[in-house]
Amino acid sequence: MDRPKSRLIWLRNPNVVRLFEGLATGSIPLSHDGLHQEAPWRTVTHLRDLLMDSGVLPQVDRQLLLYQRWLTERLANIEDPGHRQLLRHFATWRQMRRLRTKAEKGPLGRSQTNHTKQEVTQASAFLTWLASRGRAIGQCQQADIDAWHTESLATRRPSQSFLRWCMKTGRMPRLILPPAVITQDSEPLHQHRWLAILRRVLNDDALPLRARVAAALVLLYAQPVSRIVRLTTDDVTDDETTVTVRLGDPPSPLPEPVADLIRAYIQSRQHLPYASSRSSKWLFPGRQPGQPMNPVSLQVHLRDIGVPPQRGRASAIRQLVLQAPAPVIAKALGYHDKTATPAWSPKPAGPGADTPQATTSGEVRLLTLGPLNLACPQRGRREARCRRGGAWNVRTARQ
């Protein structure tokens, strides 16, 4: 490290000394299960990250390990044994199975495990609340479900995963849960404001280079911060004439101002203050060994340079959908259609025709792009095509 003083101070921590002595003498097994039993958890987590990054321990999803530790402590604090057993079954057979499946496809993000924690917390709160009304989970009634959600719908919505699981497994009667409400809480920036921010990001060398690169991906390619931090250096290809970044398939070429930013940023990664960051393949490495940058931290960096992440992304989506059909945008930017086969084609039906080719299935198929839902309604008839600057007019819709 260029500045080893902070690491030397960490090595003098009594907890660190105890853990290293235990590993050296064998009193603490050099395994994930052995470290899982130790405390304090923050010190143990950092030490385990170092051991995985250096190849001493096999790679295991960090967020999954942290969630398992949190769950053990959370269940231990539940006094009612019936509630504790029910929540343990829910976490084991529903949540852990789902998280392990996702971890096999790629590293878990903090938002995924945080939402899972909220499900357990609200499920425990619901069981306690229901018991205060003199009922067990098997005696739950529709009036209880309605009253539970009426008091605070947004806070208590995560409990629905637990309630659906209980209904599916026969632990409670089949009742009706309130539907999800889609809200548009991120209004796009005015076009002039969006262009002014983008111009400053590309030209102001006084701004931090890392924040400028992330801002360009938000403002030009509508990438959420949670996806930006998962990019690796392998996702960026530079053949000395063109720079591409793999946001979807095929990789997206970067215009020259952004390409220069990416080149300069990748070179600057060799001078990061954290020793583990230099060997990391994350495009935005974090402080923890082998881990990407925290999305919340990157959002703070973006706001510090005047880039609102959500509104900037909504503005980029609006600009993109005015330039190309939605399926083309989805494939290029790595979004996924909710159906395997598109229900419509932007090609005119024939020479001189002014309508898209439509199916007669009566379906509404949505392509979700962040805060907007791009839809092409199929109602068994041809829909009139509306042009705006030579592009398709995309409607917002809700399902």
Side-chain angles (χ1 to χ4, degrees):
M1 300 180 66
D2 294 337
R3 292 176 294 178
K5 183 177 180 180
S6 61
R7 188 58 57 218
L8 293 173
I9 294 175
W10 180 77
L11 288 171
R12 291 197 294 266
N13 185 307
N15 289 318
V16 176
V17 173
R18 177 182 57 81
L19 289 171
F20 273 119
E21 288 180 348
L23 293 173
T25 59
S27 60
I28 299 177
L30 185 56
S31 64
H32 288 292
D33 291 338
L35 290 174
H36 185 72
Q37 308 299 326
E38 299 300 320
W41 70 269
R42 292 184 184 276
T43 304
V44 173
T45 299
H46 186 73
L47 176 58
R48 179 157 44 193
D49 289 340
L50 288 170
L51 294 174
M52 288 193 295
D53 188 59
S54 60
V56 176
L57 286 179
Q59 290 289 337
V60 179
D61 192 282
R62 182 177 190 267
Q63 296 301 324
L64 186 60
L65 292 174
L66 290 177
Y67 173 71
Q68 289 175 321
R69 189 180 193 97
W70 176 89
L71 180 64
T72 301
E73 297 176 354
R74 183 69 179 82
L75 293 177
N77 293 328
I78 298 177
E79 297 180 357
D80 190 296
H83 293 177
R84 183 167 57 250
Q85 182 179 10
L86 182 58
L87 291 173
R88 181 180 289 108
H89 289 172
F90 168 66
T92 302
W93 299 110
R94 166 64 179 171
Q95 293 184 320
M96 291 302 300
R97 178 181 295 179
R98 181 180 59 190
L99 290 176
R100 287 194 180 101
T101 300
K102 292 182 178 180
E104 291 175 357
K105 299 177 181 179
L108 296 175
R110 292 193 180 188
S111 60
Q112 293 172 303
T113 52
N114 286 341
H115 181 72
T116 305
K117 292 177 182 178
Q118 284 297 316
E119 290 179 350
V120 174
T121 300
Q122 290 302 313
S124 176
F126 173 77
L127 292 174
T128 302
W129 177 86
L130 190 63
S132 68
R133 296 167 68 95
R135 292 190 180 93
I137 188 68
Q139 303 168 332
C140 184
Q141 301 177 5
Q142 186 64 51
D144 299 320
I145 296 293
D146 295 340
W148 166 257
H149 287 91
T150 300
E151 294 182 10
S152 181
L153 178 59
T155 301
R156 294 178 170 180
R157 185 172 296 282
S159 64
Q160 291 190 2
S161 178
F162 170 74
L163 296 175
R164 291 191 184 96
W165 176 78
C166 288
M167 295 180 199
K168 184 178 179 180
T169 57
R171 288 175 167 85
M172 67 177 289
R174 289 193 173 274
L175 305 172
I176 299 176
L177 301 178
V181 178
I182 301 175
T183 58
Q184 301 279 345
D185 56 354
S186 299
E187 290 295 329
L189 298 168
H190 189 277
Q191 186 176 16
H192 295 294
R193 176 62 177 161
W194 174 74
L195 289 173
I197 295 176
L198 181 58
R199 188 178 298 111
R200 180 168 176 261
V201 165
L202 296 177
N203 298 320
D204 191 348
D205 294 334
L207 299 178
L209 188 56
R210 176 173 54 181
R212 294 171 66 190
V213 171
L217 294 175
V218 171
L219 296 172
L220 286 177
Y221 292 89
Q223 293 299 295
V225 174
S226 58
R227 181 180 294 176
I228 291 176
V229 298
R230 313 305 293 184
L231 292 173
T232 66
T233 53
D234 293 336
D235 293 322
V236 180
T237 304
D238 185 4
D239 60 4
E240 297 183 358
T241 57
T242 304
V243 177
T244 62
V245 59
R246 185 174 294 280
L247 305 174
D249 189 21
S252 303
L254 300 179
E256 192 56 37
V258 184
D260 290 339
L261 285 179
I262 287 284
R263 289 191 184 102
Y265 173 68
I266 291 179
Q267 293 178 358
S268 70
R269 289 176 72 258
Q270 301 300 322
H271 304 287
L272 292 173
Y274 311 109
S276 58
S277 300
R278 301 174 186 177
S279 59
S280 173
K281 287 191 174 183
W282 295 113
L283 189 60
F284 296 89
R287 295 188 177 186
Q288 298 299 326
Q291 300 299 317
M293 189 177 184
N294 188 338
V296 177
S297 299
L298 186 55
Q299 286 182 338
V300 172
H301 288 304
L302 291 176
R303 293 191 181 98
D304 287 343
I305 66 172
V307 178
Q310 296 298 330
R311 298 186 64 194
R313 180 169 170 250
S315 302
I317 293 173
R318 182 177 62 180
Q319 296 300 321
L320 289 168
V321 299
L322 294 178
Q323 299 172 14
V328 176
I329 300 171
K331 187 175 182 180
L333 301 187
Y335 294 99
H336 300 283
D337 199 337
K338 288 189 177 180
T339 56
T341 305
W344 65 285
S345 169
K347 242 168 97 175
D354 198 33
T355 57
Q357 297 175 352
T359 65
T360 58
S361 61
E363 296 177 337
V364 176
R365 301 188 178 184
L366 296 180
L367 174 68
T368 303
L369 289 181
L372 296 180
N373 288 323
L374 311 184
C376 180
Q378 309 298 332
R379 309 180 192 278
R381 70 177 190 275
R382 294 180 184 272
E383 295 288 335
R385 185 167 105 169
C386 177
R387 285 184 172 275
R388 179 185 297 174
W392 289 95
N393 180 25
V394 183
R395 304 171 182 172
T396 58
R398 294 176 182 173
Q399 186 176 36

